[in-house]
Amino acid sequence: MEFELLDKKIDKISADCEVVFVVDKNLKHKWIKDSEHFKLLKFKAEAEEAVFVPHKKRLYIAIGSLEHDSIRTACAQAIRILKKTNFQSIKIGLYAGKEFAPDNIRSIAEGFILGGYIFDKYKTKKVKSRVKKIAVSSEEYSGKTISAKVIKEELRTGKILADAVNFTREIANQPPDDMTPVQMGEAAEKLAKENDLQCKIYGEEFLKKNGMNAFLAVSRGSIHPLRLIHLIYKPKNAEKKIAIVGKGITYDSGGLSLKPPSSMVTMKSDKSGAGAVLGVMSIVKKLNLPFEVHGIIGAAENMIGGNAYKPDDILTAKNGKTIEVKNTDAEGRLVLADCLCYAQEFAPDYILDFATLTGACVVALGEYTVGVMGFNKKLKKEIMLAASASGELSADLPFNKYLPKLLKSEIADVSNMSSSNYGGAITAGLFLSEFIKKENKDKWAHLDIAGPAYVEKEWGCNPYGASGAGVKMAIRWMANLS
Ligand code: BES
Ligand code: ZN
Ligand code: ZN
């Protein structure tokens, strides 16, 4: 999908269809040219209501405000309607005024591309959108508040971000047998080549040599070899070093603590943290971020079998800590424990991990919200602000001094499962903190994306399935650092 800013009045632009926002039921805006038909079409301009006026080829979408998220969602809604048509080009105006900030323009590009995504790789009949071109008219803003240069830049950034989110969605949506750890490694190598990144892929031998026994244990029941993936973006004169770590469980059956059938369905999405890391790494260079970024992924499959790790096993992680396995379904934290130790070897200034870590996080926050954990309140706040500015929902899940006690083991340094039924998202975060060195505690944040990463229904700009959660908030957070 291509965007073009045209210095022309909207009526002078030729396109198959025009998209018009009706903001806060205000039918007086000069771009609302068909209000006489609204009554007949029963269009009341309630938020998210849409109406197509066929003989005028105008699609009206009602939005509650000119806030960036409303615009993003409205554009996604528009493209969902238009992709069912044979329209190939769309035109849209910009709404002038103080509130029409650069973010709103970025949201137009994001909304159209995110809403246009369909996972139809396995459909014999494809339903691909024919919309290829979106013309944006400069009428109304006309240099008043935002320069043409800024508008073009915002459209470009929006496109880059949304393409990265779609890339992440594609990774997470792949069925488990088509995205094994080895295949994920290959996808990372391809991405590295295309984006001029360094790429290191390690297997079992490297992990054995480096004492990453927690990660190794999780993979033992699978016939698919594990992969530790390390992508590096190193611009000249990098201001800071950032490590992003992703949980890449290509399938989570639960292992010997087997999941019940209904919970196992969708567990192909347990690689969404890895997908987010790949999505971010796919654009760090295009966005010219002035940081050294390390993308680290622990890719493994959690399966049953004669060689599978067991409840009662005791594992020694890379930092020497011993872990009593009480539940093999709490596998993500074991993989991340070793990956976080590995990430700290590169002395990063910040370490963020992305993981579909707990069902408890979904219970706590609902399926649309990322759980943000860590010791550094300022860092958490910055991440949450970046999330909301980029159109993602997040909430703080606070640590406290009582919860760590729930991870005590009688026979090892720590247990991989809490002794309480409550607060499971936070105790999982606290488990990870056991593998963060004292001097790095304030540099680290843990993002539990178990809720929003994969939802079996359409929501906002997201389709059924993988949403690409984490990508936009991570990039926004990084951009705000510079
Ligand atoms: N991958 C799951 C968490 C998950 C649940 C992600 C639902 C997405 C949707 C994770 O590995 C897991 O199974 N966690 C257990 C931990 C428990 C055994 C301590 C859970 O949440 O039940
Ligand atoms: Zn699990
Ligand atoms: Zn898992």
Side-chain angles (χ1 to χ4, degrees), residues 331-345:
E331 84 298 337
R333 61 193 78 185
L334 299 174
V335 169
L336 285 179
D338 278 336
C339 289
L340 287 169
C341 293
Y342 174 83
Q344 289 168 89
E345 288 183 345

Side-chain angles (χ1 to χ4, degrees), residues 17 47 57 179 269 273 275 282 310 329 342 360 366 380 392 417 430 444 451 478:
C17 182
K57 291 196 178 163
M179 186 51 76
S269 68
S282 73
K310 310 161 190 72
D329 198 11
Y342 174 83
K380 284 195 292 183
E392 294 200 65
M417 198 178 87
L430 284 165
W444 166 71
M478 286 186 203

Side-chain angles (χ1 to χ4, degrees), residues 1 20 124 190 202 378 477:
M1 210 178 275
V20 184
T124 44
K190 181 166 175 276
Y202 302 109
K378 184 168 167 274
W477 169 76

Side-chain angles (χ1 to χ4, degrees), residues 229 279 323 340 383 415:
I229 301 166
I323 307 164
L340 287 169
I383 291 170
S415 159

Side-chain angles (χ1 to χ4, degrees), residues 247 249 252 267 270 329 331-332 356-357:
K247 169 178 173 182
I249 298 297
D252 184 8
M267 278 303 133
D270 217 18
D329 198 11
E331 84 298 337
T356 45
L357 206 61

